[in-house]
Amino acid sequence: MHSSDHNQSTLTLHLPDEDATASLGQQLAPLLAPGMVLWFDGDLGAGKTTLVRALLRARGHSGPVKSPTYTLVEIYVISRIYWYHFDFYRFNFPEEFLDAGFGEYFRDDAVCLVEWPEKAEGCLPPADLMVRFRFAENGRAVDVVACSEEGQKCLKALRSGWPDAAG
């Protein structure tokens, strides 16, 4: 991942419960534009799929949002924008990303939401935003890291809408 990049900005948030995670999704969703790539990092059960579900619901998806652990990708079309939710947890080798042809999903008319991006390291397009979940006392700590100019714009807007944010 891009942890050594010097041009990154990070916003650290405390999410005490699932409602707070949903609130983050509601605030972040309208900031996402076609062509963006988001990486979600964190242990099993940390809240990655919960946040993706909140993002999709905030954009108007009313059906089920399930983790693509077995299918590897779930596809949603909302307002003519393709939303691809990937989960690479079951990958044994990064090249499985290439073998599956997933590179063609990363387009200008799509938003790609990627869980377990490290499992496709070196094959996966870079992130605009990285969202890192950590278990913390009384909930989760989440670092939202901007990794591109588009990511910086999102982070700036998100920071202004989250008054008690650190970073």
Side-chain angles (χ1 to χ4, degrees):
M1 298 209 244
H2 298 87
S3 57
S4 61
D5 288 358
H6 297 292
N7 60 349
Q8 293 181 343
S9 298
T10 303
L11 173 66
T12 300
L13 304 170
H14 177 256
L15 304 178
D17 54 29
E18 197 168 321
D19 287 344
T21 303
S23 179
L24 173 58
Q26 289 163 0
Q27 292 212 22
L28 184 57
L31 307 176
L32 302 181
M36 291 188 74
V37 176
L38 281 75
W39 290 2
F40 297 87
D41 187 31
D43 291 333
L44 285 170
K48 298 179 297 294
T49 300
T50 300
L51 180 56
V52 169
R53 184 176 297 117
L55 286 168
L56 293 169
R57 293 227 190 292
R59 289 303 288 247
H61 178 72
S62 58
V65 176
K66 58 185 192 264
S67 175
T69 302
Y70 294 99
T71 58
L72 301 180
V73 63
E74 292 288 335
I75 302 167
Y76 306 90
V77 181
I78 306 166
S79 301
R80 292 190 297 243
I81 298 171
Y82 287 85
W83 294 76
Y84 297 113
H85 179 199
F86 295 94
D87 184 331
F88 299 139
Y89 178 73
R90 299 201 167 277
F91 276 12
N92 293 310
F93 305 100
E95 295 76 21
E96 291 178 69
F97 175 87
L98 302 173
D99 294 344
F102 287 142
E104 53 193 65
Y105 287 77
F106 291 76
R107 310 182 312 246
D108 290 342
D109 66 342
V111 176
C112 292
L113 311 168
V114 182
E115 295 188 39
W116 300 96
E118 68 278 8
K119 297 278 198 157
E121 193 167 10
C123 298
L124 185 64
D128 293 293
L129 282 176
M130 270 192 291
V131 183
R132 293 187 189 121
F133 284 84
R134 299 184 314 279
F135 290 102
E137 192 174 326
N138 301 319
R140 311 284 188 272
V142 176
D143 296 323
V144 182
V145 183
C147 305
S148 71
E149 194 173 317
E150 284 297 314
Q152 292 284 1
K153 290 178 195 172
C154 283
L155 197 64
K156 183 177 181 184
L158 188 61
R159 183 176 277 126
S160 68
W162 207 282
D164 61 344

